Amino acid sequence: MVITTQLTRLLGIKSPIVQGGMTHVGRAELASAVSNAGALGIITALTQPTPEALRQEIRRCRSMTNNPFGVNLTLLPSINPPPYKEYAKVIVEEKVPVVETAGNNPKEFVAMFKEAGLLTIHKCVTIRHAISSQKMGVDILSIDGFECAGHPGEDDVSGLILLAKASRALTTPYIASGGFGDGRGLAAALALGAQGINMGTRFMCTQEAPIHPNIKKAIVEADERSTTLLYRPFRNTARVFKNSVAVEVNRIEASKDVKFEDIKDLVAGTRGRKVFDSGDKDFGIWSAGQVIGLIDNVPTCEELVRCIVAEAEQIITRDLSKMIS
């Protein structure tokens, strides 16, 4: 038995699961393994230092899977922004079938990708932003609840509410993101109107994820209280793993007159990347969602996808059906 949804039909995938774009993690090794497992793997464009490096990573991924995969392009405010248009041009030239966008208004890029015949997924943390994205012609919306890793927005609304409201407010198919890591989550997301789930942190803790085993071990040993929120004084909230660096940043941010310069060195991206290479979980800041409380093993991507779908199928066809008389 398989679970068929608008997501699986649109993307040409077997299982309604998308691997979220993750800085320093979304590389060809992981994306291809997820796609080979029947879900949608995603390469993170800005993990690659240049557009041409992205081109080589796309080609490397294509050599590792015959199944569809996508590329994430996250648009964030920056003093020295990366060459977004050049990265987008590479995605179009390489004919990547699916593009996941996140961050700032993607209107210009959505139009560019649609003109090239590529499918677009856009991540939204509010219903108002999802409605705006729907008007742009985005093919699939990713609704991210407050539980998610990375940037959950400033409204602090959980996925349970966002997904239920999305079913009333949206006509574009949407997937659920933030807090998903097992079959119960997939079944719940489908019940809330979603066409599948997006998982980031859960895929970090797989055999193929290109991060140090010590970080995977830290995730397995953590619980749902092991994340914290940074950058709240600057209205750029991010959920990260609660390590010694994050605790220190929280302490500094509690100051009434805190400035970003006060924490700049602690939160440098180069430190976060070294965490994944060295295995020192306390070396820098790294993203993790509250779903870490549900992660207790490090399976292969194939094992993970298969188990999630099987559990969801059992809940839908057997457990819930017993409640109807």
Side-chain angles (χ1 to χ4, degrees), residues 38-311:
L40 184 77
I42 290 187
I43 293 170
T44 308
L46 299 185
T47 291
Q48 301 303 316
T50 66
E52 281 305 308
L54 173 61
R55 188 188 305 279
Q56 296 308 313
E57 191 73 357
I58 291 170
R59 292 178 179 180
R60 194 163 71 93
C61 190
R62 191 167 279 138
S63 74
M64 300 165 76
T65 183
N66 293 320
N67 293 339
F69 64 91
V71 173
N72 165 281
L73 184 62
T74 298
L75 311 166
L76 294 175
S78 173
I79 296 173
N80 298 303
Y84 289 121
K85 288 185 179 179
E86 285 79 1
Y87 278 100
K89 183 181 178 183
V90 166
I91 294 169
V92 169
E93 290 174 348
E94 291 300 315
K95 297 180 174 60
V96 178
V98 185
V99 187
E100 178 192 63
T101 56
N104 289 350
N105 189 322
K107 185 175 182 179
E108 174 186 3
F109 295 97
V110 168
M112 178 181 178
F113 295 137
K114 286 184 73 67
E115 184 179 356
L118 311 184
L119 289 170
T120 54
I121 302 172
H122 185 60
K123 297 173 76 69
C124 301
V125 296
T126 69
I127 298 302
R128 63 184 183 276
H129 292 152
I131 291 172
S132 296
S133 299
Q134 180 173 265
K135 292 176 181 176
M136 292 176 204
V138 169
D139 296 293
I140 301 166
L141 294 160
S142 179
I143 305 300
D144 287 29
F146 187 56
E147 305 91 338
C148 72
H151 296 277
E154 305 304 316
D155 292 349
D156 299 2
V157 181
S158 75
L160 189 63
I161 302 301
L162 287 176
L163 294 169
K165 189 162 185 179
S167 71
R168 302 181 184 183
L170 303 176
T171 56
T172 300
Y174 61 92
I175 59 176
S177 182
F180 295 94
D182 60 15
R184 292 187 179 279
L186 174 55
L190 296 174
L192 287 163
Q195 300 301 306
I197 57 175
N198 177 298
M199 304 192 307
T201 306
R202 174 65 268 203
F203 275 121
M204 286 174 65
C205 217
T206 57
Q207 292 292 323
E208 297 91 345
I211 61 177
H212 198 284
N214 286 355
I215 303 306
K216 300 174 187 182
K217 182 173 182 286
I219 292 172
V220 168
E221 293 176 348
D223 64 27
E224 64 275 15
R225 301 166 299 170
S226 301
T227 70
T228 190
L229 300 170
L230 305 186
Y231 315 140
R232 305 226 82 176
F234 315 110
R235 295 192 60 77
N236 189 31
T237 300
R239 185 179 298 282
V240 304
F241 187 82
K242 191 175 183 179
N243 60 11
S244 60
V245 180
V247 170
E248 175 63 10
V249 172
N250 280 158
R251 186 191 67 77
I252 296 170
E253 287 180 329
S255 171
K256 182 180 178 182
D257 301 316
V258 65
K259 299 179 180 62
F260 186 74
E261 287 71 19
D262 299 334
I263 62 170
K264 182 177 67 175
D265 293 339
L266 288 170
V267 302
T270 51
R271 293 183 60 163
R273 179 168 186 167
K274 192 164 183 178
V275 166
F276 295 141
D277 293 337
S278 70
D280 181 355
K281 67 181 177 64
D282 290 304
F283 191 82
I285 296 299
W286 50 285
S287 293
Q290 289 181 319
V291 73
I292 58 177
L294 301 177
I295 299 172
D296 57 10
N297 63 350
V298 187
T300 65
C301 290
E302 191 279 330
E303 290 167 342
L304 177 62
V305 170
R306 175 166 41 82
C307 288
I308 288 175
V309 172
E311 184 181 26

